[in-house]
Amino acid sequence: ALRLSRPAAQDRIDTARLLATILTDTHLALAGGAASPGQVRRLVEEVRYLDPAVAVEVQDRTLPKAPTQTVGEFGRAVKKAILVVDPHTAEEQHALAAQTRTVEMYPEPDAMATLTTVQPAHQAVTIMEALNAIALAAKNADADPGRCTMDQRRADALYTLCAAALGDPSLPKRHAHPPAVQVVIDLPTLLGLAEHPGHLHGYGPIPASVARKLAASGAWQRLVVEPVTGHLLDAGTTRYRPSQELADYILARSPQCRFPTCHTPAAACDIDHIQPFNHQHPEHGGTTSATNNDPYCRRHHQLKTHGGWTTHRNPDGTITWTNPHGRQYHQPPTDHRPGGDAS
């Protein structure tokens, strides 16, 4: 109902539960203006996995000074209080924190993106040392070493390492294909007759010149779309499992899970039937075809199969989801045209 992703909604629930049951003084301080939302978030992040008694003592030690501290100062005070209250927490906290290690990407303007990673300190130092070494080697081999900064060379080194890794034939396949990055471009732009923006799956719109460059590279999967409708061609089968051609089409048509707010890449999803397939009498059930199959991540596949949610495909390709209480949510199809709402 709030159009939040599942992790964002769960984080709000966890924070509210902690403030309502354990950090009640913090809840009161937030309501009265004695603690800022930023300070509360910092405290919750640090104590959410601690024993409740330890969390309360940390709160009691740090909350009185919150009105005179910045968020950064308050955060450092919380970290120090945890070590004072429970000297043995450092090892346990590190083990728990290591479970949250992650790499995330955030789109930026001008066909750029920010890549962030949270790692155990020794792994982060190892990564930086490797990037520094590769960047320095590239600088020494460059005839004009002043044309790029070390920051730029480190970024190039990270891309080079990952691009080489994608070519490893031992990597697991998804839907019978090795991992690949997809770029969508319409035919006039590919031929240089138009300058329509392309679409980079996992990022969004990119300039025509960048799309043409990527489409010309063998390292990228090129998807050329019909410029009038923005649609790909259809295909179908009466078998339960889609043919490889049909699976490829469905994954290209819908680049992510068809559940509203879900952005799981289609390659990591199941291809599921909207109207259930009848194994004993296929002619009486939903067909295995482009009009009756879509990608759903495992969570939302199970939500539809066992969770009481139902789906219906409308003539324009929009999927209407109905929850067990009768509330409906509409997920339109991906429009691959320049300016279309490609996901």
Side-chain angles (χ1 to χ4, degrees):
L2 297 178
R3 307 298 290 184
L4 293 173
S5 66
R6 181 172 59 87
Q10 189 64 54
D11 181 70
R12 289 195 183 189
I13 293 171
D14 292 344
T15 298
R17 181 182 292 119
L18 193 62
L19 293 176
T21 60
I22 297 174
L23 303 179
T24 53
D25 287 351
T26 301
H27 187 190
L28 293 174
L30 175 64
S36 71
Q39 290 172 322
V40 172
R41 281 194 296 270
R42 192 65 68 88
L43 177 62
V44 168
E45 289 170 359
E46 295 289 346
V47 306
R48 67 194 318 164
Y49 300 115
L50 296 179
D51 181 89
V54 174
V56 170
E57 188 168 349
V58 170
Q59 168 194 255
D60 294 345
R61 284 175 172 267
T62 57
L63 198 57
K65 294 184 179 180
T68 63
Q69 293 177 320
T70 65
V71 173
E73 292 170 340
F74 182 77
R76 289 189 289 272
V78 170
K79 289 180 180 292
K80 183 175 181 180
I82 291 174
L83 294 175
V84 171
V85 173
D86 185 0
H88 302 291
T89 295
E91 289 292 337
E92 298 175 357
Q93 281 290 92
H94 175 71
L96 288 171
Q99 296 178 20
T100 68
R101 58 192 183 278
T102 183
V103 177
E104 297 180 332
M105 189 193 81
Y106 304 96
E108 300 285 359
D110 304 319
M112 300 293 286
T114 294
L115 195 68
T116 66
T117 181
V118 176
Q119 299 270 358
H122 69 282
Q123 293 184 189
V125 171
T126 300
I127 293 171
M128 285 301 295
E129 284 297 316
L131 295 180
N132 284 333
I134 297 173
L136 184 59
K139 179 180 179 181
N140 293 338
D142 196 338
D144 184 11
R147 66 177 182 172
C148 290
T149 66
M150 281 299 290
D151 281 337
Q152 292 169 335
R153 294 183 188 278
R154 277 190 287 264
D156 293 343
L158 180 59
Y159 167 76
T160 300
L161 289 172
C162 294
L166 272 183
D168 185 349
S170 67
L171 291 178
K173 295 182 178 181
R174 288 176 172 176
H175 301 286
H177 286 286
V181 182
Q182 295 179 331
V183 59
V184 179
I185 185 171
D186 68 15
L187 187 57
T189 301
L190 180 64
L191 297 177
L193 303 176
E195 294 296 310
H196 299 147
H199 184 86
L200 179 61
H201 282 188
Y203 173 79
I206 55 176
S209 60
V210 178
R212 274 194 295 267
K213 181 179 179 181
L214 298 179
S217 171
W220 301 77
Q221 183 179 4
R222 181 181 66 196
L223 300 175
V224 182
V225 301
E226 199 279 323
V228 177
T229 64
H231 295 166
L232 303 177
L233 297 178
D234 201 348
T237 179
T238 57
R239 296 179 300 171
Y240 174 70
R241 293 191 179 279
S243 66
Q244 190 60 56
E245 292 79 7
L246 176 59
D248 292 345
Y249 164 70
I250 291 171
L251 297 176
R253 179 186 64 187
S254 302
Q256 61 191 23
C257 173
R258 292 299 308 277
F259 185 85
T261 75
C262 185
H263 301 285
T264 301
C269 293
D270 302 328
I271 296 179
D272 188 36
H273 294 74
I274 298 173
Q275 181 182 353
F277 184 85
N278 189 323
H279 289 268
Q280 295 181 335
H281 301 285
E283 67 278 9
H284 296 153
T287 60
T288 301
S289 64
T291 58
N292 194 50
N293 287 81
D294 271 313
Y296 301 105
C297 71
R298 183 56 55 86
R299 177 183 179 85
H300 294 124
H301 183 173
Q302 296 298 323
L303 197 70
K304 184 169 71 73
T305 304
H306 304 294
W309 288 65
T310 60
T311 54
H312 172 74
R313 176 186 286 275
N314 300 294
D316 66 351
T318 296
I319 301 296
T320 297
W321 288 77
T322 304
N323 71 11
H325 304 290
R327 187 183 181 102
Q328 292 188 332
Y329 304 87
H330 305 286
Q331 184 70 358
T334 299
D335 184 349
H336 293 280
R337 288 175 295 179
D341 187 20
S343 301

